[in-house]
PDB file of all heavy atoms in Angstrom:
ATOM      1  N   GLN A  73     159.410  76.456 112.346  1.00 96.00           N
ATOM      2  CA  GLN A  73     159.957  75.498 113.252  1.00 96.00           C
ATOM      3  C   GLN A  73     159.408  74.084 112.935  1.00 96.00           C
ATOM      4  O   GLN A  73     160.183  73.095 112.972  1.00 96.00           O
ATOM      5  CB  GLN A  73     159.588  75.939 114.696  1.00 96.00           C
ATOM      6  CG  GLN A  73     160.209  74.884 115.670  1.00 96.00           C
ATOM      7  CD  GLN A  73     160.025  75.388 117.077  1.00 96.00           C
ATOM      8  OE1 GLN A  73     158.794  75.428 117.588  1.00 96.00           O
ATOM      9  NE2 GLN A  73     161.014  75.753 117.825  1.00 96.00           N
ATOM     10  N   ALA A  74     158.117  74.023 112.643  1.00 97.00           N
ATOM     11  CA  ALA A  74     157.517  72.692 112.328  1.00 97.00           C
ATOM     12  C   ALA A  74     158.142  72.108 111.105  1.00 97.00           C
ATOM     13  O   ALA A  74     158.429  70.877 111.053  1.00 97.00           O
ATOM     14  CB  ALA A  74     155.985  72.861 112.138  1.00 97.00           C
ATOM     15  N   GLN A  75     158.448  72.943 110.078  1.00 97.00           N
ATOM     16  CA  GLN A  75     159.082  72.419 108.878  1.00 97.00           C
ATOM     17  C   GLN A  75     160.474  71.878 109.117  1.00 97.00           C
ATOM     18  O   GLN A  75     160.930  70.924 108.591  1.00 97.00           O
ATOM     19  CB  GLN A  75     159.190  73.582 107.812  1.00 97.00           C
ATOM     20  CG  GLN A  75     157.840  73.980 107.289  1.00 97.00           C
ATOM     21  CD  GLN A  75     157.219  72.991 106.299  1.00 97.00           C
ATOM     22  OE1 GLN A  75     157.169  71.821 106.554  1.00 97.00           O
ATOM     23  NE2 GLN A  75     156.701  73.538 105.186  1.00 97.00           N
ATOM     24  N   GLU A  76     161.174  72.590 110.039  1.00 97.00           N
ATOM     25  CA  GLU A  76     162.537  72.059 110.393  1.00 97.00           C
ATOM     26  C   GLU A  76     162.411  70.758 111.081  1.00 97.00           C
ATOM     27  O   GLU A  76     163.257  69.847 110.744  1.00 97.00           O
ATOM     28  CB  GLU A  76     163.143  73.112 111.379  1.00 97.00           C
ATOM     29  CG  GLU A  76     163.488  74.462 110.756  1.00 97.00           C
ATOM     30  CD  GLU A  76     164.132  75.448 111.747  1.00 97.00           C
ATOM     31  OE1 GLU A  76     164.235  75.065 112.952  1.00 97.00           O
ATOM     32  OE2 GLU A  76     164.472  76.570 111.340  1.00 97.00           O
ATOM     33  N   TRP A  77     161.478  70.544 111.968  1.00 97.00           N
ATOM     34  CA  TRP A  77     161.312  69.236 112.670  1.00 97.00           C
ATOM     35  C   TRP A  77     160.939  68.149 111.613  1.00 97.00           C
ATOM     36  O   TRP A  77     161.457  67.057 111.718  1.00 97.00           O
ATOM     37  CB  TRP A  77     160.211  69.335 113.741  1.00 97.00           C
ATOM     38  CG  TRP A  77     160.567  70.125 114.909  1.00 97.00           C
ATOM     39  CD1 TRP A  77     161.890  70.462 115.266  1.00 97.00           C
ATOM     40  CD2 TRP A  77     159.702  70.766 115.814  1.00 97.00           C
ATOM     41  NE1 TRP A  77     161.801  71.218 116.399  1.00 97.00           N
ATOM     42  CE2 TRP A  77     160.596  71.426 116.794  1.00 97.00           C
ATOM     43  CE3 TRP A  77     158.338  70.787 115.931  1.00 97.00           C
ATOM     44  CZ2 TRP A  77     160.051  72.109 117.828  1.00 97.00           C
ATOM     45  CZ3 TRP A  77     157.796  71.445 117.090  1.00 97.00           C
ATOM     46  CH2 TRP A  77     158.633  72.097 117.993  1.00 97.00           C
ATOM     47  N   ARG A  78     160.086  68.498 110.682  1.00 97.00           N
ATOM     48  CA  ARG A  78     159.750  67.581 109.569  1.00 97.00           C
ATOM     49  C   ARG A  78     160.952  67.206 108.754  1.00 97.00           C
ATOM     50  O   ARG A  78     161.164  66.004 108.395  1.00 97.00           O
ATOM     51  CB  ARG A  78     158.695  68.186 108.703  1.00 97.00           C
ATOM     52  CG  ARG A  78     158.226  67.308 107.589  1.00 97.00           C
ATOM     53  CD  ARG A  78     157.779  68.011 106.344  1.00 97.00           C
ATOM     54  NE  ARG A  78     158.916  68.795 105.872  1.00 97.00           N
ATOM     55  CZ  ARG A  78     158.842  69.553 104.750  1.00 97.00           C
ATOM     56  NH1 ARG A  78     157.740  69.628 104.037  1.00 97.00           N
ATOM     57  NH2 ARG A  78     159.886  70.249 104.273  1.00 97.00           N
ATOM     58  N   ASN A  79     161.725  68.200 108.446  1.00 97.00           N
ATOM     59  CA  ASN A  79     162.983  67.928 107.667  1.00 97.00           C
ATOM     60  C   ASN A  79     163.910  67.000 108.424  1.00 97.00           C
ATOM     61  O   ASN A  79     164.583  66.183 107.811  1.00 97.00           O
ATOM     62  CB  ASN A  79     163.539  69.240 107.240  1.00 97.00           C
ATOM     63  CG  ASN A  79     162.822  69.999 106.261  1.00 97.00           C
ATOM     64  OD1 ASN A  79     161.892  69.446 105.580  1.00 97.00           O
ATOM     65  ND2 ASN A  79     162.985  71.337 106.195  1.00 97.00           N
ATOM     66  N   GLU A  80     164.088  67.226 109.646  1.00 97.00           N
ATOM     67  CA  GLU A  80     164.994  66.439 110.463  1.00 97.00           C
ATOM     68  C   GLU A  80     164.526  64.932 110.441  1.00 97.00           C
ATOM     69  O   GLU A  80     165.455  64.014 110.457  1.00 97.00           O
ATOM     70  CB  GLU A  80     165.021  66.953 111.952  1.00 97.00           C
ATOM     71  CG  GLU A  80     165.666  68.251 112.122  1.00 97.00           C
ATOM     72  CD  GLU A  80     165.622  68.848 113.445  1.00 97.00           C
ATOM     73  OE1 GLU A  80     164.928  68.091 114.399  1.00 97.00           O
ATOM     74  OE2 GLU A  80     166.061  69.997 113.767  1.00 97.00           O
ATOM     75  N   LEU A  81     163.290  64.692 110.390  1.00 97.00           N
ATOM     76  CA  LEU A  81     162.725  63.332 110.313  1.00 97.00           C
ATOM     77  C   LEU A  81     162.665  62.788 108.919  1.00 97.00           C
ATOM     78  O   LEU A  81     162.373  61.641 108.743  1.00 97.00           O
ATOM     79  CB  LEU A  81     161.443  63.287 111.008  1.00 97.00           C
ATOM     80  CG  LEU A  81     161.415  63.492 112.528  1.00 97.00           C
ATOM     81  CD1 LEU A  81     159.957  63.653 113.099  1.00 97.00           C
ATOM     82  CD2 LEU A  81     162.139  62.409 113.289  1.00 97.00           C
ATOM     83  N   GLY A  82     162.841  63.606 107.927  1.00 97.00           N
ATOM     84  CA  GLY A  82     162.834  63.156 106.547  1.00 97.00           C
ATOM     85  C   GLY A  82     161.443  62.814 106.028  1.00 97.00           C
ATOM     86  O   GLY A  82     161.342  61.862 105.223  1.00 97.00           O
ATOM     87  N   LEU A  83     160.413  63.355 106.619  1.00 98.00           N
ATOM     88  CA  LEU A  83     159.090  62.942 106.271  1.00 98.00           C
ATOM     89  C   LEU A  83     158.621  63.605 104.910  1.00 98.00           C
ATOM     90  O   LEU A  83     158.705  64.837 104.718  1.00 98.00           O
ATOM     91  CB  LEU A  83     158.095  63.370 107.443  1.00 98.00           C
ATOM     92  CG  LEU A  83     158.320  62.711 108.728  1.00 98.00           C
ATOM     93  CD1 LEU A  83     157.454  63.331 109.865  1.00 98.00           C
ATOM     94  CD2 LEU A  83     158.078  61.247 108.651  1.00 98.00           C
ATOM     95  N   THR A  84     158.167  62.777 104.007  1.00 97.00           N
ATOM     96  CA  THR A  84     157.736  63.229 102.711  1.00 97.00           C
ATOM     97  C   THR A  84     156.247  63.180 102.548  1.00 97.00           C
ATOM     98  O   THR A  84     155.738  63.423 101.452  1.00 97.00           O
ATOM     99  CB  THR A  84     158.433  62.424 101.540  1.00 97.00           C
ATOM    100  OG1 THR A  84     158.017  60.998 101.711  1.00 97.00           O
ATOM    101  CG2 THR A  84     159.918  62.479 101.752  1.00 97.00           C
TER     102      THR A  84
END
Side-chain angles (χ1 to χ4, degrees):
Q73 183 174 66
Q75 294 286 46
E76 290 176 2
W77 291 339
R78 180 211 61 179
N79 293 340
E80 289 173 1
L81 292 172
L83 298 172
T84 60

